[in-house]
Amino acid sequence: MFSKACEYAIRASIYIAVKSESGQRVSLKDIAGAIDSPEAFTAKILQQLSKDQLIDSVKGPSGGFSIEKKKLQHLRLSQIVYAIDGDRIYKGCGLGLKDCSERKPCPVHHKFKAIREELKNMLEKTTVTELASGLGKGLTFLQR
Amino acid sequence: MFSKACEYAIRASIYIAVKSESGQRVSLKDIAGAIDSPEAFTAKILQQLSKDQLIDSVKGPSGGFSIEKKKLQHLRLSQIVYAIDGDRIYKGCGLGLKDCSERKPCPVHHKFKAIREELKNMLEKTTVTELASGLGKGLTFLQR
DNA sequence: ATATATTAAGATCTTTTTATCCTTTATTAT
DNA sequence: ATAATAAAGGATAAAAAGATCTTAATATAT
Ligand code: FES
Ligand code: FES
């Protein structure tokens, strides 16, 4: 569904969100440990999210990653996915045709579209805080 | 969503189905041309489908691929997907945790599960003939 | 100011996926 | 029987994704 990079991105964002809610900044090492991801690879991904200003980063001692509370209120899953995987989820044809097109649909177009639409809605509606809340309460998990 | 191999598998199956309905067998070259896929790679994929007895193949002059009418009546998209991509679509966690688990869910588990379930239903309900019919009528397309 | 902790950036390596090529085997037509 | 045709199978290559390493930049604390 998503690339590995995107999965890490989402997991990391949720973890950072939990910490940010109590005003803490978290280091790369901390994050990679919490979400069970390769550190260096995770660094790249966070770099990208930071460039896109979805998360904030501070260098140096006591530095690390965080998400401004203001941003956090609005941050959607869709934004993370878009930053890492681009729009292939939204625009890609289920059977791999160059683009998904209403005018020249592939055989699964209609059935696919419905599901993709739902996925899209879900990603656009779901906020990262919302997910962070479940994690904070110990109801959900980021590794196994 | 699916691997490239799986996309080709589905496209090829639908094309073979259309031809099989009128009793024709189709060659690899014909298929690859019709679905715009790399010939040798497509061969590997068809080999797999043939091994799994989802499609039939005959060597030699006037040989090629086909799907027995009896099989065709029951052949579902889910079978093709399973033969090529395995069960990752059904069992994989949306955030890449080792398995998707109800007892120790990831933060998106519930939202994800709903969508995955729909996808699964769709694949299990949809027959290849059904899709072939739209293609045969010129309503849908396998390349662009 | 200096040393230190921490992210940024670029280069490189590894693995997986996608794709090709070549030889063998089976089938058909002559 | 023989030649021609088409898929099967195995080996290899290219591209993409995933992951690591090394150096640079920057902020903090002393
Ligand atoms: S054309 Fe294939 S999903 Fe729309
Ligand atoms: S645990 Fe992640 S989708 Fe079920």
Side-chain angles (χ1 to χ4, degrees), chain B residues 98-114:
Chain B
K98 301 226 170 63
D99 305 273
C100 171
S101 144
E102 207 70 44
R103 266 193 47 258
K104 217 180 164 191
C106 76
V108 299
H109 175 77
H110 296 287
K111 299 186 180 225
F112 232 88
K113 196 185 159 190

Side-chain angles (χ1 to χ4, degrees), chain B residues 8 10 30 41 46 50 67 71 90 110-111 113 125:
Chain B
Y8 294 145
I10 296 173
D30 190 352
F41 189 40
L46 295 177
S50 174
I67 307 176
K71 274 184 201 167
Y90 305 118
H110 296 287
K111 299 186 180 225
K113 196 185 159 190
K125 272 193 312 198

